[in-house]
Each structure stands twice: as C-alpha cells, then as structure tokens.
Amino acid sequence: MKMCSEANRSAKTSAQDNYFPDVLESCKEICYNIENAKAKWRKSDEVIRAMAVTKTVAPEKINFAVAQGFTLLGENRVQEYLSKKDFYDKSAEVQFIGHLQTNKVKYIINDVTLIQSVDNLKLAQEINRLALKNNKVMDVLVEINIGDEATKSGVSADMAEELVRQAAELPGISVKGLMAIPPVGSGEDVFDKMHGIFLRVKEKSIPGVSMDILSMGMSGDYELAIKHGSTLVRIGTKLFGARKYLEG
Ligand SMILES: *Cc1c(COP(=O)(O)O)cnc(C)c1O
C-alpha cells in the first residue's frame, strides 16, 4: 500500500510543533494489519483503501495523518467539515460518510469526491439536481442498514438493489458501490451477508453502476471486513485516539 511506504516521512516532521507520535504509531500499525489481512485473504492485485475518519479531530492532527499517507478523509457532519476544510492539506481527498440531510447537499457537492451515505431516493434526486447544476457527475455509494437497526440510517437489505437502480437512472449520479455500518460487535456473518449483496448487485451489470467499492470495516473490525471483501475501511478511533465528545 502506498501509505505504508510513505510512513517514513515523519522523520522530517519530528522537530515541528505538529508532531503526533501516537498517530504515527497507529498509522504504521494499521498499515501493517491491512497488509497482513490482505496477504491472508485477498488477491495480491486487489486494492484496499484506508480512510481517516476525522470527526472531532483537529485539522493539525488530520494533516499529520495525511503526511503519513492517509490521504483519504471521511467526513460525518456538514457543519464540522465546513469549519475545518480550509485548514486541510490540499493533497487530501474528502468523501462524505455521515447521515446527509437533503438541504445540506449544496454545501458539499463541490468539495467531496464521493458521497457514501445515499439511503433514499429524495437524497439521490437532490444530489443529481445539484450535480447537473454544477456540470458534474457525483459518485455515490448506497448505504445499507445491514443490521436492521432502528437507530441507524441506511436502506434495508431488501430494498438496496431497487435504490441502486433508481439512483443509477439519474444522469448526475454514478453509483460506485455499497457502504454499511454493521452493529457493534457483529460477527463475520454480517460482513459476509453484505459481501453477498454486493456481489449479487455487481453480477447484474446494471447500466450506470460500477460496483467497485464495498465500504465496510472500522477500528474494531477492519481486518474481518477485509476478509469478507471490503475495499475501503474507515478508521477513526484506532488512528486518532478516543473521541472526546459524543457523536451526533
Ligand atoms: C465514526 C465513523 C467511523 C469510524 O469509527 P471508529 O470506530 O472510530 O473507527 C467509520 N464510519 C462512519 C460512518 C463513522 O461515522
């Protein structure tokens, strides 16, 4: 993985103010674990991306992770993102991963490369409208509520393919895959179920749908997620430490 080979850049930054030894350690450990999981369970030519999930984390710390090669950032909250984005290293790529209200799409449409959290048609239609208005096609993932939890967003597993098809018909949207946040402490069966849905939709070769990205796996379970087909793991706590305040 590219980020692993870049982890030695820290030697240069160690004399500066914004030096975070814990983050440096975590970067190396996560890289190592991802490489290991990949070697054990996946083909050598497959690409697995690691995202740094930034909620509650200060920009200096985020930029330090970017310098270690974690150049993909995941944002949860529009408001927080808007207050921090000007301070981000310009080499970072930003994707949106949090629950997104339809009326807030306008604030992120020109800054993020992918919206991972599309879970209803109204949201897809608003992304489509604003993408077309800005002369672009927005990449999205359809988020599935794989654990069927009342407190979580995401479309039900049964309705996922239908939403993929509806979103794919919108000219301002390109569906790139699926995303899930499995229940805390989920077993391998949940990742396996998600992988199964991903492969089934992929096999249908729906026009306008590429199914390249399966976004699943977080701090506590990213290796298991890789075992079960994840192509993008989203890491917060393990990279930056425990978050200081409650999540919205
Ligand atoms: C917070 C968050 C993560 C990261 O969770 P950790 O357990 O801290 O790694 C991943 N994905 C989403 C959608 C999140 O909101």
Side-chain angles (χ1 to χ4, degrees):
M1 196 181 330
K2 182 160 159 269
M3 65 178 68
C4 293
S5 57
E6 292 184 357
N8 54 8
R9 271 203 228 165
S10 55
K12 268 181 276 171
T13 48
S14 60
Q16 300 171 1
D17 289 343
N18 295 323
Y19 181 64
F20 300 91
D22 295 354
V23 176
L24 178 61
E25 255 337 283
S26 302
C27 284
K28 289 180 184 165
E29 190 185 326
I30 293 163
C31 283
Y32 179 82
N33 291 342
I34 290 174
E35 285 299 313
N36 256 351
K38 209 188 137 193
K40 243 193 275 183
W41 293 307
R42 303 287 288 272
K43 297 197 195 92
S44 58
D45 63 342
E46 287 183 280
V47 176
I48 294 159
R49 296 187 83 186
M51 162 184 279
V53 175
T54 64
K55 57 184 180 257
T56 79
V57 182
E60 310 84 68
K61 208 171 185 180
I62 295 166
N63 288 339
F64 182 79
V66 172
Q68 309 315 314
F70 277 76
T71 54
L72 177 61
L73 306 181
E75 297 294 322
N76 277 77
R77 302 173 190 131
V78 172
Q79 224 50 47
E80 183 181 339
Y81 171 56
L82 295 179
S83 74
K84 288 172 14 182
K85 68 172 189 170
D86 291 345
F87 302 99
Y88 285 174
D89 189 303
K90 293 294 167 278
S91 68
E93 174 188 348
V94 177
Q95 300 184 352
F96 198 81
I97 61 172
H99 177 67
L100 183 57
Q101 284 171 278
T102 307
N103 62 359
K104 294 202 172 151
V105 176
K106 58 178 176 285
Y107 299 116
I108 63 166
I109 191 82
N110 283 314
D111 290 305
V112 303
T113 59
L114 176 74
I115 297 174
Q116 295 203 3
S117 42
V118 172
D119 64 355
N120 66 79
L121 186 58
K122 261 182 80 179
L123 175 58
Q125 286 166 335
E126 177 64 359
I127 294 169
N128 175 63
R129 186 182 74 81
L130 288 167
L132 294 177
K133 197 173 152 192
N134 288 281
N135 289 312
K136 60 159 66 182
V137 175
M138 191 71 213
D139 290 345
V140 307
L141 305 183
V142 165
E143 178 180 353
I144 299 182
N145 185 355
I146 195 70
D148 235 339
E149 295 170 284
T151 55
K152 277 194 187 144
S153 41
V155 66
S156 70
D158 293 345
M159 295 301 294
E161 185 181 331
E162 177 70 10
L163 183 55
V164 167
R165 285 184 187 278
Q166 290 170 327
E169 279 173 16
L170 304 170
I173 280 189
S174 175
V175 180
K176 297 291 184 191
L178 304 177
M179 183 267 227
I181 312 173
V184 178
S186 288
E188 296 194 37
D189 54 318
V190 175
F191 291 116
D192 199 43
K193 182 177 171 193
M194 191 65 202
H195 191 212
I197 296 169
F198 179 77
L199 292 177
R200 268 200 303 284
V201 176
K202 188 174 186 148
E203 266 168 21
K204 303 211 165 151
S205 303
I206 302 165
V209 176
S210 70
M211 282 294 147
D212 297 327
I213 303 172
L214 177 55
S215 172
M216 63 179 188
M218 317 199 298
S219 289
D221 54 20
Y222 62 97
E223 290 150 292
L224 269 192
I226 290 169
K227 179 177 177 185
H228 292 280
S230 172
T231 70
L232 194 163
V233 294
R234 310 179 307 262
I235 316 235
T237 314
K238 203 70 194 267
L239 185 57
F240 295 119
R243 287 182 282 275
K244 287 195 191 72
Y245 44 95
L246 284 178
E247 292 152 35

